[in-house]
Amino acid sequence: MIGFYKSSTSGRSIAAALTAFTIAAVGAAPSALAQDEDAADGDGDIVIVTGTRRQNRTVADSTVPIDVIGEDALSNQGYTEVNKALNLLVPSFNFPQPSITDGTDAIRPATLRGLAPDQTLVLVNGKRRHVTSLLNLNGSVGRGSAAVDLNLIPGLAIDRIEVLRDGAASQYGSDAIAGVINVSLKSANSGVTGVATYGKYITELQDVPGNASVVVDGGGLPVVTPDGVLLLNAQGERKARDGETLTLAANIGIPVFEDGFINLTGEYRDRNRTDRAGLDPRRQYATIGDPDELTFNRLSHRYGDAQTEDYSVFLNAGAPVSPGTEFYLFGSFNERDGESAGFYRRSSDNRNRDFTNEPPPPAMLGPFVPFYADGFLPLIVTDTSDFSVGGGFKGAWSEWNWDLSAVYGRNKLDFRVENSFNTSFGQASQTEFDSGGLKFAQTTVNFDLQRELPVSFLADTLSVAFGAEYRHENFGIRAGDLQSYSAGPFAVPFGAPAGAQVFPGFRPENEVDAGRDSYAFYTELETDLTPRWTTQLAGRFEHYSDFGSTVNGKFATRYELADGFAVRGAISTGFRAPSLHQQFYATNSTNNIGGVLVEIGTFPVDSAVAQTLGSLPLEPEKSLNLSGGVTLSLFDGFNITADYYRITIDDRIIITESLQGPDIVAILQAAGFNNITSARFFINGLDTRTQGVDVIATYGLDLGGLGDIDFTGGFNWNKTVITAETDTLGPLASVPGLDLFGRLETLRLIEGQPNTKINLAATWTKGVFETTIRTTRFGEVLSPGSLAVDDVVLAPEWVTDIEGRLQMTENVSLAIGANNVFDVYPTANPVGVRPTGGNYSANNYFLPYSSFSPFGFNGRFVYARAVVEF
């Protein structure tokens, strides 16, 4: 058996001690949200633009919880990807970093409050941002969703991020069930800032041997362990020095006309791949005793971050064009080249067999001849192109504030497969393939009106807002080249699998160019009924061309019981429209079963195959959001909020399991589909209930001659349960034991994200020196297996970051630091013989950590940063 060595737990002990110190220093239930500098100081006077259309609403008097994250909190860490930064700053935000998940390796989704990635709305400058063209399908958190890629936005372009933690579909439309993330771009009209950040992972993997030789018996043959793999003589734990990341960014503000500005940000990020794979102890070659078995490099898989190269340009501009009227413009262009790997194909793998010179059946097959002598690692190469431009006019007219805008966004993703081959073509196969691509585009036009009306019996004016929105969306699939999807001459006689291995291309019959339109009308009223009592009422009607209409509303209120102490609550209905991806995504592959080519695929809900199995047109998800909480400011510099939320969602859209078996085949054959053995499609399949608690606190302390110290902290508890599953099975009702949403998918939904999360941070400033210490406790996560005995409970872990900054001159500052300074890893996957009998999957040897880990599995990241400002 492979030997494993436990790492020291001293890092976790230090993290726990740090946490205890921070809690004691705060002097109350801690929170770990780094907020805008003013918010951290506790004055609460920051005017917010999210969750309200009133012009002067602040964080302190908001009726719903809103976190304001300033640019310092985003930039004062080693990670330059926005999703990674938010994962360390927002307790209810989760950003797992899966691997070997096709396009999801390069475009990773994030979640808020344990819901799906597409149930959080993202705005840029208050305007709806388009989602990516990628549909996440390969076993990651967020399976079946298409989401906005926040990592396309350079951190240096961001002035602040407002996170609205409450349902807001009645205010903003589809997707705002979990909440809203609004990214405000910088608007300075002067100054130049340049930032260079370089870092790499310097880590020692836990429970993973670094080197090993094959143990042989007296006859020179490899010794096989009780769980069926080769016995390796393990040598130490594996060390890694990889993931070098260079980020170069610059921001410039340019004055234009009188009181106008152009603010430009450019960023280049080159992130090398990481690899946390373990050694593969399985037999690699077809011939027992093959001498190459003893010299094969068993670090053959690639498991970690994809290699990516990003180019980003963001523009934000505005200028007055007449008294009371302003023109504004913002936009972005992004390119990302990514490379990730699939599973390693062993030399003896039938997918690596070269059938070119084999005698055709019924003759006996000849000796096994591999296409790649030592096996091969197929690579998925992605090319992401993203473009957006928005603009409009806003101003004041006869006491009305008005805003007319239009935003267009487009995301395009092309797939290539390299270092692979189509087994069914033998020696005639390509080794590189164009596997096709995806595209998504969105055009949104808004017109908003708002004014303050004096009402004699109210303590304040009544804010009245009206608006209308038109949105057009388009989704498309492009087919790949012929060999990327087709079956060659060796498919039928030999059962050779067809298509480019690791990512078969989209077929011509998968191609689609689908669009839809929606129209919305909305209104919002907000006022202070008394000096201590604020109320808000919102309503929205929206009509979609593909599924009809929906009406949603919201009531929120806040009452200040005493100076510094208030209660607040909200009730709202919401919806999320089924995405075009979920309605029209299609892909299928060809397998040889018993000498017959059969199709296994994902079929659109309106396809003949899906309809034969009982698919229905998708309806919107419908939600009811309830929340209530308190806000407390006991003394200067200290603020704490605590909010409970309950989100029920009916008709959640899920993708079914791959439906297969004799009963499924019989249903399909009766309808004339004789070559399909497995199908999956999207359905309104589940009702769920999500409950949770958010606690956020900030505390600023003047230490006199010792400087200043600011504490921030946050806590989130979150739990999702399935309350009902679909009973509209149609023809599938006759299939005994059928489970449209199986055990693995169920557990991924309800237990695949942390049940608790704590963020704690302290920043000490003394003259030109500044230090930030941040620690995050990620709660327990279940990584489900196909069987209950294979489930892995990922234990709670503290992950600690440290950064020190020095203001060298008025214009130059330097920083050094480490993320995950104590080199913490998630619980390792078990290997060998199960205590209950049988064997754990051999894959656990070379995939030692679960992709469900909420903080990834890369280990310690050490970095340095230089900032130049003029």
Side-chain angles (χ1 to χ4, degrees), residues 399-751:
E399 298 185 346
W400 286 92
N401 299 304
W402 59 272
D403 186 342
L404 174 64
S405 66
V407 182
Y408 171 79
R410 182 200 68 208
N411 182 272
K412 183 170 173 284
L413 177 62
D414 291 315
F415 293 92
R416 285 191 58 81
V417 172
E418 298 180 356
N419 196 44
S420 182
F421 88 115
N422 185 330
T423 314
S424 67
F425 279 89
Q427 286 292 328
S429 172
Q430 303 165 198
T431 57
E432 297 185 3
F433 306 85
D434 173 7
S435 287
L438 305 168
K439 67 174 183 178
F440 178 80
Q442 175 181 281
T443 301
T444 307
V445 179
N446 285 91
F447 180 64
D448 298 299
L449 286 169
Q450 187 273 339
R451 69 167 295 178
E452 305 292 329
L453 292 175
V455 179
S456 60
F457 59 86
L458 296 178
D460 197 0
T461 56
L462 173 66
S463 171
V464 179
F466 301 96
E469 177 180 284
Y470 164 74
R471 187 162 76 250
H472 175 75
E473 297 173 330
N474 177 264
F475 174 71
I477 298 177
R478 177 182 64 83
D481 59 37
L482 180 67
Q483 281 201 11
S484 73
Y485 60 80
S486 60
F490 303 111
V492 173
F494 296 102
Q501 291 192 56
V502 80
F503 194 90
F506 295 106
R507 301 173 171 226
E509 57 266 34
N510 299 146
E511 288 192 322
V512 68
D513 189 1
R516 71 171 174 203
D517 301 291
S518 70
Y519 306 85
F521 302 94
Y522 43 90
T523 185
E524 183 178 303
L525 305 175
E526 186 172 344
T527 190
D528 292 341
L529 297 174
T530 72
R532 293 183 179 272
W533 188 8
T534 300
T535 60
Q536 180 186 51
L537 185 66
R540 185 183 188 94
F541 167 82
E542 190 148 356
H543 176 78
Y544 282 77
S545 60
D546 52 351
F547 68 78
S549 303
T550 178
V551 178
N552 294 276
K554 179 174 184 175
F555 174 75
T557 187
R558 177 184 181 274
Y559 190 81
E560 190 168 2
L561 296 170
D563 291 345
F565 178 53
V567 295
R568 62 189 178 190
I571 179 172
S572 64
T573 62
F575 76 103
R576 191 190 73 80
S579 69
L580 292 177
H581 311 62
Q582 292 170 330
Q583 296 184 70
F584 296 103
Y585 184 87
T587 183
N588 51 305
S589 58
T590 303
N591 283 18
N592 184 294
I593 299 179
V596 177
L597 295 181
V598 297
E599 300 301 312
I600 299 174
T602 302
F603 295 90
V605 292
D606 64 350
S607 68
V609 171
Q611 290 178 342
T612 296
L613 294 174
S615 72
L616 297 171
L618 294 178
E619 296 293 331
E621 301 173 341
K622 297 177 285 292
S623 70
L624 175 63
N625 291 54
L626 301 172
S627 66
V630 298
T631 67
L632 186 63
S633 298
L634 292 177
F635 45 84
D636 288 344
F638 177 72
N639 295 279
I640 186 168
T641 67
D643 293 273
Y644 164 81
Y645 56 89
R646 184 179 187 270
I647 307 168
T648 58
I649 306 175
D650 294 338
D651 299 326
R652 282 187 73 159
I653 299 171
I654 61 170
I655 189 168
T656 68
E657 300 289 340
S658 293
L659 306 177
Q660 54 191 326
D663 295 292
I664 302 296
V665 172
I667 294 173
L668 291 169
Q669 288 181 346
F673 301 104
N674 297 311
N675 66 333
I676 298 176
T677 63
S678 179
R680 63 180 181 178
F681 50 92
F682 283 92
I683 60 172
N684 292 101
L686 299 176
D687 295 345
T688 64
R689 181 178 64 247
T690 299
Q691 297 183 87
V693 174
D694 284 321
V695 181
I696 305 295
T698 59
Y699 178 47
L701 183 63
D702 184 353
L703 302 177
L706 298 178
D708 299 310
I709 190 164
D710 291 316
F711 297 101
T712 63
F715 167 79
N716 172 258
W717 169 79
N718 192 84
K719 180 65 177 177
T720 295
V721 297
I722 295 174
T723 56
E725 297 190 31
T726 183
D727 56 3
T728 56
L729 297 179
L732 298 177
S734 63
V735 179
L738 179 71
D739 199 345
L740 292 180
F741 198 65
R743 177 183 182 278
L744 193 148
E745 295 303 323
T746 297
L747 292 174
R748 175 184 290 121
L749 177 69
I750 65 176
E751 298 189 48

Side-chain angles (χ1 to χ4, degrees), residues 26-93:
V26 172
S31 75
L33 180 69
Q35 296 189 335
D36 184 280
E37 183 178 351
D38 291 334
D41 290 340
D43 59 19
D45 292 333
I46 305 170
V47 176
I48 55 176
V49 297
T50 311
T52 179
R53 288 183 168 85
R54 189 160 193 168
Q55 304 292 305
N56 59 352
R57 184 62 69 200
T58 66
V59 170
D61 56 14
S62 173
T63 58
V64 292
I66 295 181
D67 306 317
V68 181
I69 303 170
E71 60 175 308
D72 286 347
L74 292 170
S75 61
N76 291 342
Q77 51 181 297
Y79 300 135
T80 57
E81 298 174 10
V82 171
N83 273 330
K84 284 188 175 181
L86 290 178
N87 198 31
L88 300 176
L89 298 172
V90 181
S92 56
F93 190 89

